Amino acid sequence: MLPFIRSDLAQFSGYAPHADGETQPEQFDQLDTNECPYDLPTELKDKLAWQIQQQIQSNRYPDGGHGGLREAIALYVSETASVSEASSSPTFTPDHITVGNGSDELIRSLIIATCLGGEGSVLVANPTFSMYRIIAQTLGVPVIQVGRNAETFEVDLEAAQSAVTQAEQDDGQPPVRLVFMVHPNSPTANALTAAEIAWLKSLPDSTLVVIDEAYYEFSRQTLVSEVLTRPNWVITRTFSKAFRLAAHRVGYGVADPAVIRVLEQMRLPYNLPSLTQTSAQVALANRGELLAVVDEIVGERDRLHKSLNALPQLHCFATDANFIYAQLKPGVVADPEASLNEIRKQLKAQGTVLRHTGGGLRITIGSPAENQRTLERLTSTLETL
């Protein structure tokens, strides 16, 4: 360990985009990162290329306040919110919106704003998106981790409440100031239940509740309207999934304007390049066309889920996202983790890349052809166990 690096980072493990740390060749069926299987249509790429030539000046900084993009996002959020449409004005305004270089930047800002300097700790329910823990650890913020039900992956609410209560009463431990939940969760694909939502609503105003809705367009379930009456709630979403802009790194947060002002004060200047902002605005302006593939992806998800669940060695959990989470059935092998890793390696050798995480395989829904190859390759591989 270098002598000038913090000692607590000696055992730190960062986020690995791929299990083996290697970039995946384009000829592989890349079903490990929950992206949309389809690129932007050619006509939209042509439109972006025209705007680069005609409207973007490379010698000028991008719009540092994201004015046009925040306004477009606010309109989209208003359309998707479960609120009354009686008013002619948008339910959400740009003052409710902040934009980040991916949702990861927003996660980092939220942790800094609530927990840094020993003022708080972060609570997560594993397995879940690992960046909550990783970013907190890089900032030296304590992370409290509770479990989930092995059959349904519902959060152990008794353990979660106990952790919150204990942290409040323990003078030697910072209180829980930030709770991260994913709706639906990754890697397990389950949406929040009524009981879990009720528990989140019961948390005190001194705790910031962050609901990650990265897969909203596939689940069609949202809690975004809650931020209108709950100033301690934040909803985060992304353009990396259904909107097909993973390469452009655009995430956004929806919250009470007072929270947004704090996040805007902390945000690095000019954090989103001009091309990235333009890409997101073009995607929103053409959202009907881009999101039309969601029905196909959901249909393919259900078809693949049914086929995989019929395999005698595999159990696929219910899913509300654009991916499937599967585990080996009890008794199939002596060492499930080792076998899953071997399955992943064999599938990669055949051209299909999946994610082995949290004790299971996370399988992104690809194109119909990719899904069929995945089914055939996984079926034959499982027969060798």
Side-chain angles (χ1 to χ4, degrees), residues 111-123 136 139-144 167-168 173-178 206:
I111 295 173
I112 293 173
T114 56
C115 298
L116 213 60
E119 293 203 15
S121 58
V122 171
L123 186 143
L139 296 170
V141 170
V143 181
I144 299 173
E168 289 288 345
Q173 179 178 340
V176 174
R177 285 289 174 262
L178 186 55
S206 57

Side-chain angles (χ1 to χ4, degrees), residues 41 47 63 86 145 175 187 198 208 214 248 253 288 314 352 354 364:
K47 183 179 291 187
D63 177 4
Q145 303 180 68
L208 187 65
H248 295 266
L314 214 58
T352 294
L354 307 181
T364 304

Side-chain angles (χ1 to χ4, degrees), residues 40-310:
L40 290 178
T42 301
E43 59 271 20
L44 291 191
K45 285 195 169 186
D46 290 342
K47 183 179 291 187
L48 285 175
W50 181 87
Q51 292 188 335
I52 291 173
Q53 291 179 326
Q54 302 296 324
Q55 297 182 352
I56 294 179
Q57 296 176 281
S58 296
N59 62 314
R60 301 299 181 190
Y61 285 112
D63 177 4
H66 316 128
L69 179 54
R70 290 171 70 185
E71 184 173 353
I73 291 173
L75 179 60
Y76 174 65
V77 171
S78 297
E79 291 176 358
T80 61
S82 300
V83 295
S84 171
E85 298 178 356
S87 173
S88 59
S89 61
T91 303
F92 293 86
T93 71
D95 290 337
H96 291 95
I97 309 297
T98 187
V99 188
N101 191 287
S103 296
D104 301 318
E105 182 184 10
L106 301 177
I107 294 168
R108 188 174 187 272
S109 294
L110 288 162
I111 295 173
I112 293 173
T114 56
C115 298
L116 213 60
E119 293 203 15
S121 58
V122 171
L123 186 143
V124 298
N126 288 325
T128 194
F129 184 43
S130 60
M131 285 307 296
Y132 308 132
R133 171 187 55 80
I134 289 172
I135 294 175
Q137 288 178 338
T138 64
L139 296 170
V141 170
V143 181
I144 299 173
Q145 303 180 68
V146 299
R148 293 174 179 267
N149 182 287
E151 297 297 326
T152 64
F153 294 116
E154 294 178 24
V155 177
D156 185 341
L157 294 180
E158 184 176 343
Q161 183 57 50
S162 177
V164 171
T165 302
Q166 182 176 346
E168 289 288 345
Q169 297 174 348
D170 188 350
D171 293 335
Q173 179 178 340
V176 174
R177 285 289 174 262
L178 186 55
V179 174
F180 284 108
M181 292 290 166
V182 196
H183 183 49
N185 187 48
S186 177
T188 56
N190 56 306
L192 289 170
T193 65
E196 290 167 330
I197 295 170
W199 178 74
L200 292 170
K201 290 180 177 179
S202 75
L203 291 172
D205 292 343
S206 57
T207 300
L208 187 65
V209 175
V210 179
I211 311 295
D212 187 338
E213 293 188 350
Y215 305 99
Y216 156 71
E217 284 80 12
F218 302 102
S219 73
R220 298 182 174 95
Q221 300 181 52
T222 181
L223 294 168
V224 73
S225 62
E226 294 291 339
V227 306
L228 297 173
T229 56
R230 298 182 184 277
N232 65 321
W233 276 43
V234 178
I235 303 296
T236 60
R237 290 181 180 175
T238 182
F239 283 83
S240 295
K241 310 303 181 184
F243 277 103
R244 318 185 198 183
L245 293 182
H248 295 266
R249 305 297 296 130
V250 193
Y252 63 94
V254 188
D256 184 271
V259 177
I260 297 299
R261 284 193 293 271
V262 173
L263 295 176
E264 286 292 293
Q265 289 172 348
M266 297 173 52
R267 178 175 53 77
L268 293 175
Y270 309 114
N271 61 326
L272 283 190
S274 296
L275 176 57
T276 293
Q277 295 187 50
T278 300
S279 300
Q281 288 180 260
V282 168
L284 283 170
N286 295 273
R287 55 187 173 275
E289 178 183 1
L290 292 180
L291 298 181
V293 300
V294 168
D295 286 341
E296 176 199 301
I297 293 171
V298 170
E300 280 292 299
R301 177 196 71 192
D302 295 343
R303 181 185 71 84
L304 186 60
H305 185 279
K306 181 178 180 180
S307 298
L308 290 177
N309 216 26

